[in-house]
Amino acid sequence: MYRLRRLKSQLFTALSIAVAILVFATIAHILLSVAVNGVGVIASAGIDFFVKPPPPPGAGLEGGIGPALAGTIILVALSAVLGVPLAVLTAVFLAEFPHSRFSRLVKLFTNSLLEIPTVLVGMLVYVTLVTSTGSYSILAGAVALSIVLLPYTSTYVERALEMVPATYKEAGYSIGLKKAQVVWYVTSRIARRGIAAGILIGLAKAAGETAPLLFTLGGALYSYPTSPASLLEPGNAIPLLIFTLTLAPYENWHSVAWGAALILTLMVLGLIIAVRLVVREVKV
Amino acid sequence: MARSDGTEVTVRNLRVYISGRPILKGINLRATPGSILAIMGPSGSGKSTLIRVINRLIDLNPSATVEGEVYIGGLNVLSADPYDVRRLTAMVFQEPNPFPHLSIFDNVAIGPKLHGLAKSRADLEEIVRWALEKSQLWEEVKDRLADYPHQLSGGQRQRLSLARALALKPKVLLLDEPTANIDPVSTRKIEESLREIARDLMTTVIIVTHTPQQAARIADYIAVLYNGELVEYGPAREVILYPKNEFTKKILEGVI
Ligand SMILES: Nc1ncnc2c1ncn2[C@@H]1O[C@H](COP(=O)(O)OP(=O)(O)OP(=O)(O)O)[C@@H](O)[C@H]1O
Ligand SMILES: [Mg+2]
């Protein structure tokens, strides 16, 4: 009886280790393939990889991801402008009025946003913004991404605000500060690193998502965003470009996709490392 | 000397319940401008709770209910806008809690700055200096005003909290064991400061203390709480020389 139990326990341990190794190996394999395949492509295209549009189908590697790189930067910036203030305000509201009925409603809403597949967010923006303006656009893509980042940033920022010890808020009230002043001069300053981390996490999410862009951005392969008016025209983004290039039956496009994947990985990794750095230094 | 117009604190039949449990059971008290009221009593008797009713910090505890009457001068504390109440009061907390994200200077300056009490930068610096001097911290920090509270000792942090409160020149000063972490010499000097402030600014000072000696040194009146009830209240000399209550005797002897 005892030996059977011990055998079971050992089996379970072995299984857990095997699964862990499998997961780790998969991630390592993906990262390694991206690095190995991506570096070659980027090296052979040189600086062109960052500025030129993709090469014509089946015709060498003389090109890159210029429009998509520019698009991703603009999309992330624009979705931050649209989404971050709303996310932070939502978080402040939830942290300051945790018991109000409206809070519970908002909480339900942000939690649902975390759960629903992001492709549905894209469809929502499609049926509202894209059909009403009559065109895919960078703006529509940014709206979709801002909806995607909203629940991540607001949840994280809310937690950061809640972690500020009550005694500092009380100190703020005790010297006669109003609620808004306590939030502005005390709570948010003490939680500033957590707030910054929440914003970066939202941006990392927005930078890496493909699904919300499928029905919103338009996937323009060759045109660059050149003026503010471009925001109302179709654009591209690195994740969407990877999706497009990989589905096409051209060897050289697959190669460019590897390079794009490497750049995207580095961007998101950079944001995640920034989050780590910001969070590590939290001290109260 | 005691003036009854402006800022007398009057507590009538005050009852506080937290989650339905009675914490203060019908307290009647008066603290007059220019005088110091010491509140004594064993741990858990409701001293901090009483202080937190007077500046409405009790509002931050959603499970607390308050009954009775509290007045600061003519202001009905329990029905007034809590922000109006807190403009008249300032508090030093039992645990030192200077703002960790503000420099020593800014910790003291934030109140006067946000309430527009200083007309100029020089004015503000003068207030900060005055408050730090009264708190017996100026000499130690005058060359490092840009440092942060985590660079200070526990006692220094408590004096910084005191300076933050004093800088507002409040009508009512609420002190919850303000010298608990502070050495005897500084404690004596702070007590002198408090006497001066009460006398010169006609401030109403309410101080929670565990040490009978401190109460004897600075208090004009002493109130003793036991298990949420006021068991003794009167002029300091009378309470110390002729305590009526058994618990008061024990507390004054330092037994509880
Ligand atoms: N936030 C709270 N939630 C629940 N109970 C509380 C709360 N604050 C105070 N109490 C209860 O109220 C009673 C009085 O507490 P209070 O802090 O006023 O005591 P005190 O006299 O200041 O004690 P001490 O000398 O230890 O500081 C205690 O029994 C305590 O458990
Ligand atoms: Mg206490």
Side-chain angles (χ1 to χ4, degrees):
Chain A
M1 196 61 210
Y2 171 71
R3 281 180 50 191
L4 187 66
R5 222 184 318 158
R6 202 172 66 163
L7 194 70
K8 269 189 190 165
S9 141
Q10 280 172 344
L11 206 68
F12 186 74
T13 310
L15 209 66
S16 306
I17 293 173
V19 168
I21 290 175
L22 201 70
V23 169
F24 182 75
T26 310
I27 293 173
H29 181 250
I30 293 172
L31 286 180
L32 218 65
S33 321
V34 166
V36 168
N37 292 305
V39 165
V41 184
I42 296 171
S44 82
I47 192 75
D48 281 355
F49 189 81
F50 299 95
V51 291
K52 291 272 172 64
L61 297 175
E62 306 284 289
I65 59 166
L69 180 60
T72 283
I73 291 169
I74 294 171
L75 276 168
V76 169
L78 193 56
S79 62
V81 168
L82 297 174
V84 167
L86 192 59
V88 172
L89 283 179
T90 305
V92 167
F93 179 76
L94 291 178
E96 288 298 316
F97 301 94
H99 304 291
S100 83
R101 198 169 301 173
F102 188 59
S103 287
R104 262 173 267 163
L105 206 69
V106 171
K107 194 111 183 173
L108 189 71
F109 178 69
T110 54
N111 284 344
S112 323
L113 268 186
L114 275 177
E115 303 288 338
I116 64 168
T118 50
V119 69
L120 295 183
V121 173
M123 289 171 75
L124 175 75
V125 174
Y126 177 83
V127 298
T128 52
L129 197 58
V130 175
T131 53
S132 68
T133 58
S135 162
Y136 295 119
S137 65
I138 294 177
L139 180 67
V143 169
L145 290 181
S146 68
I147 295 173
V148 169
L149 77 76
L150 181 81
Y152 287 90
T153 298
S154 85
T155 304
Y156 203 95
V157 170
E158 183 200 345
R159 218 167 295 158
L161 293 171
E162 282 167 355
M163 271 162 54
V164 173
T167 183
Y168 299 124
K169 295 186 215 175
E170 291 177 354
Y173 287 116
S174 81
I175 58 171
L177 303 192
K178 301 254 160 102
K179 199 178 193 84
Q181 289 177 311
V182 170
V183 170
W184 183 252
Y185 291 105
V186 181
T187 325
S188 68
R189 306 299 165 102
I190 295 175
R192 64 195 182 278
R193 289 174 186 281
I195 294 173
I199 292 171
L200 289 173
I201 284 168
L203 296 188
K205 195 75 195 160
E209 281 279 327
T210 311
L213 302 176
L214 286 174
F215 311 115
T216 53
L217 188 53
L221 270 184
Y222 302 108
S223 61
Y224 293 87
T226 48
S227 69
S230 307
L231 296 182
L232 298 175
E233 293 160 8
N236 212 335
I238 300 176
L240 189 61
L241 179 69
I242 294 172
F243 182 74
T244 313
L245 296 181
T246 312
L247 282 189
Y250 314 114
E251 277 295 324
N252 68 327
W253 275 20
H254 295 173
S255 303
V256 174
W258 281 114
L262 179 58
I263 301 301
L264 183 64
T265 306
L266 291 177
M267 285 174 79
V268 173
L269 214 61
L271 282 169
I272 291 173
I273 290 171
V275 172
R276 287 267 156 257
L277 290 178
V278 157
V279 171
R280 200 179 51 189
E281 286 186 40
V282 174
K283 74 170 166 241
V284 166
Chain B
M1 197 56 191
R3 211 167 51 182
S4 64
D5 56 336
T7 56
E8 191 170 67
V9 175
T10 315
V11 175
R12 277 192 217 115
N13 199 21
L14 175 67
R15 290 169 193 279
V16 174
Y17 302 85
I18 296 181
S19 312
R21 198 160 72 87
I23 304 296
L24 292 176
K25 305 168 182 172
I27 305 294
N28 291 282
L29 269 183
R30 224 148 74 133
T32 47
S35 75
I36 298 182
L37 166 66
I39 298 179
M40 304 192 65
S43 185
S45 56
K47 305 181 295 296
S48 297
T49 305
L50 176 58
I51 296 271
R52 283 163 178 269
V53 171
I54 296 172
N55 67 359
R56 291 280 298 272
L57 273 194
I58 191 90
D59 291 25
L60 300 180
N61 182 349
S63 50
T65 51
V66 181
E67 296 168 2
E69 288 178 20
V70 178
Y71 281 87
I72 296 177
L75 183 73
N76 184 338
V77 166
L78 297 183
S79 65
D81 180 341
Y83 299 105
D84 291 340
V85 174
R86 295 175 196 145
R87 285 299 304 276
L88 297 175
T89 63
M91 171 170 179
V92 175
F93 293 73
Q94 197 165 355
E95 301 297 330
N97 59 356
F99 297 119
H101 61 295
L102 295 182
S103 68
I104 293 172
F105 183 92
D106 286 335
N107 257 285
V108 186
I110 181 173
K113 205 152 55 178
L114 292 180
H115 293 314
L117 302 183
K119 287 172 214 73
S120 63
R121 177 76 194 179
D123 218 10
L124 187 63
E125 284 171 9
E126 186 48 43
I127 293 173
V128 170
R129 180 185 173 140
W130 175 84
L132 286 168
E133 278 174 352
K134 291 289 175 198
S135 312
Q136 296 302 319
L137 189 58
W138 174 253
E139 286 303 322
E140 285 157 67
V141 301
K142 64 181 177 197
D143 299 320
R144 47 187 292 218
L145 291 172
D147 280 2
Y148 285 82
H150 68 87
Q151 293 163 291
L152 299 176
S153 74
Q156 287 173 326
R157 278 203 288 274
Q158 196 160 30
R159 281 175 280 161
L160 182 56
S161 308
L162 177 60
R164 175 178 66 194
L166 293 182
L168 291 163
K169 305 207 172 150
K171 303 277 189 236
V172 178
L173 186 57
L174 304 168
L175 309 165
D176 201 345
E177 299 187 46
T179 58
N181 303 303
I182 297 174
D183 67 83
V185 177
S186 301
T187 296
R188 296 299 179 91
K189 290 185 180 156
I190 289 172
E191 288 168 358
E192 270 166 46
S193 296
L194 294 176
R195 287 240 56 103
E196 277 169 33
I197 286 167
R199 188 186 62 222
D200 300 345
L201 304 179
M202 286 307 280
T203 306
T204 304
V205 180
I206 300 179
I207 179 172
V208 173
T209 177
H210 270 297
T211 49
Q213 295 83 353
Q214 181 165 56
R217 286 194 299 266
I218 64 170
D220 299 295
Y221 295 87
I222 294 178
V224 180
L225 290 180
Y226 188 83
N227 195 17
E229 290 179 49
L230 184 77
V231 295
E232 187 97 37
Y233 173 60
R237 268 180 61 85
E238 276 179 35
V239 171
I240 289 167
L241 293 177
Y242 316 106
K244 297 191 198 83
N245 185 281
E246 276 309 303
F247 297 118
T248 309
K249 286 179 198 157
K250 287 187 183 155
I251 284 164
L252 291 175
E253 288 159 10
V255 182
I256 47 177

